[in-house]
Amino acid sequence: MSKRVALVLGSGGARGYAHIGVIDELERRGYEIVAIAGCSMGAVIGGVHAAGQLEGYREWVTQLDYFDVLRLVDVTWSPMGAMRASKVMARLAGLIGEQQIESLPIPFTAVATDLKRQREVWFQTGSLLRAIRASMAVPGLITPVHQGDQVLVDGGLLNPLPIIPTVAAHADLILAVNATAQTHQPVTLEELLPDAEAAEEREREARLEAEGRGLGEWFNGVRDRAQKMFGNGSDNGNEAGWREEKAPPGRDSVRAWGKLDIMLTSFEITQAALAKYKVAGYPPDVLVEIPKTVCGAYEFHRANALICLGRHLAAQALDRYESLGRGRAEGG
């Protein structure tokens, strides 16, 4: 069985942690990753792995709880975005340093979008950190990267699953991970995990709730941050002729969170549709699909379970691929 694989890691926010589990399963089976293309969270994981620092990154993110994630939010008043992402980038810089993409042991491409020219930008040389930062700049949420006359934002705006950069790689197969996959019915993370891991995830959530560090308290904190990012929800100067009902006292922060949630959900819907077209146009040899309903794009405190999910779904996809290969060998 051929073992050289080109890896495509798609966007998807926190669901991108599943990429780590996919890499684990590939390495467990003896596959050699000879090229990586990534977008947004896929660029983060792919770039860190290409730089040889995935274990350090794993150690960091699997220790994050709700409030650790909240402390990484750095609000800015820039009209270009609500967050600078400087705290996250500082941690990444401590891990991978100032490496150049062309010097990495694994060829790597990070995909961003140039807002001015409305086209994809492939980072295949230059600063790895800069490429990652540009690829993850969700429009309106994380401030863009200015490079020359380019205004660079999240590559998922045009190409959430960048398969094309890997086509020319000298690989035996292309494996793509779509972390914005659509499903006929909503499916939860616990429903997809193996029984033991699902039980462990439920126990972890229950323990955090009992300690007063549960999801409800975390959402209150996120809402407070969202209020700072997007204002208090007033819509003065409405020119469309419609009127939004005034929120009850004390609920401005809930309305502000609604704006953030709508923005992220709208972006994800577009990414999911684009990813389907990319797969149809350039079908990979192996496709691992992470349903976008398993968690919110911002639930970065669920790294352990999402890594396990990636490993589990990759094993299923590779079993199918390898069984097909064996069948052809036996029949041919």
Side-chain angles (χ1 to χ4, degrees):
M1 177 72 63
S2 300
K3 292 289 189 178
R4 291 167 58 84
V5 58
L7 188 57
V8 182
L9 304 179
S11 58
R15 291 185 300 275
Y17 283 144
H19 297 324
I20 300 174
V22 174
I23 293 170
D24 287 345
E25 186 61 22
L26 284 169
E27 292 184 337
R28 188 185 72 81
R29 295 182 183 225
Y31 285 90
E32 179 190 1
I33 298 171
V34 297
I36 303 174
C39 172
S40 197
M41 192 62 173
V44 176
I45 304 298
V48 170
H49 180 62
Q53 298 299 326
L54 190 59
E55 287 311 306
Y57 181 82
R58 182 204 307 265
E59 183 178 349
W60 172 45
V61 299
T62 54
Q63 299 302 314
L64 295 176
D65 66 15
Y66 301 115
F67 296 103
D68 293 325
V69 173
L70 199 59
R71 283 189 286 270
L72 291 170
V73 176
D74 50 353
V75 175
T76 178
W77 302 112
S78 168
M80 301 294 285
M83 292 172 53
R84 294 182 296 270
S86 57
K87 295 179 181 179
V88 172
M89 292 308 299
R91 289 302 301 259
L92 289 178
L95 273 175
I96 64 179
E98 290 294 338
Q99 298 202 47
Q100 300 296 299
I101 296 173
E102 60 269 29
S103 300
L104 297 174
I106 302 174
F108 173 68
T109 303
V111 177
T113 301
D114 181 1
L115 282 181
K116 291 186 70 175
R117 292 177 175 81
Q118 301 177 26
R119 67 185 186 190
E120 293 177 36
V121 175
W122 294 3
F123 285 89
Q124 296 177 318
T125 61
S127 168
L128 175 59
L129 284 171
R130 189 173 186 83
I132 289 172
R133 176 62 176 80
S135 186
M136 62 183 270
V138 179
L141 183 62
I142 299 176
T143 54
V145 169
H146 296 267
Q147 180 170 278
D149 63 348
Q150 296 177 319
V151 180
L152 301 171
V153 297
D154 196 318
L157 191 61
L158 291 178
N159 191 356
L161 195 62
I163 298 171
I164 298 176
T166 65
V167 171
H170 297 292
D172 300 308
L173 71 145
I174 297 174
L175 185 149
V177 187
N178 177 13
T180 58
Q182 296 172 313
T183 54
H184 295 297
Q185 296 291 333
V187 60
T188 67
L189 179 56
E190 288 78 10
E191 288 171 336
L192 287 180
L193 284 170
D195 291 343
E197 285 78 5
E200 183 178 329
E201 179 67 4
R202 284 190 289 267
E203 289 173 7
R204 175 180 174 274
E205 295 292 321
R207 184 179 68 255
L208 288 171
E209 290 290 347
E211 294 172 356
R213 298 188 295 126
L215 190 59
E217 291 300 316
W218 182 74
F219 265 102
N220 289 336
V222 172
R223 285 166 177 157
D224 289 342
R225 295 292 198 282
Q227 183 177 5
K228 293 177 182 177
M229 290 180 187
F230 296 99
N232 63 6
S234 63
D235 287 288
N236 298 328
N238 188 335
E239 298 176 357
W242 53 268
R243 222 177 131 193
E244 184 177 35
E245 184 179 353
K246 185 176 174 64
R251 293 191 56 82
D252 281 352
S253 61
V254 176
R255 294 177 65 228
W257 165 250
K259 291 181 180 180
L260 173 62
D261 210 30
I262 288 169
M263 184 180 72
L264 290 175
T265 302
S266 300
F267 189 51
E268 284 202 324
I269 290 170
T270 303
Q271 288 183 306
L274 285 171
K276 284 183 65 176
Y277 288 122
K278 296 298 180 183
V279 169
Y282 296 90
D285 299 285
V286 181
L287 178 63
V288 179
E289 294 196 292
I290 315 297
K292 62 187 181 69
T293 58
V294 297
C295 75
Y298 38 78
E299 293 184 55
F300 288 99
H301 55 278
R302 308 188 76 178
N304 273 308
L306 288 161
I307 291 169
C308 178
L309 178 65
R311 189 182 304 116
H312 178 61
L313 295 180
Q316 293 179 340
L318 287 166
D319 283 346
R320 291 191 293 269
Y321 172 76
E322 292 171 359
S323 296
L324 182 62
R326 282 192 295 270
R328 286 173 177 168
E330 292 167 0

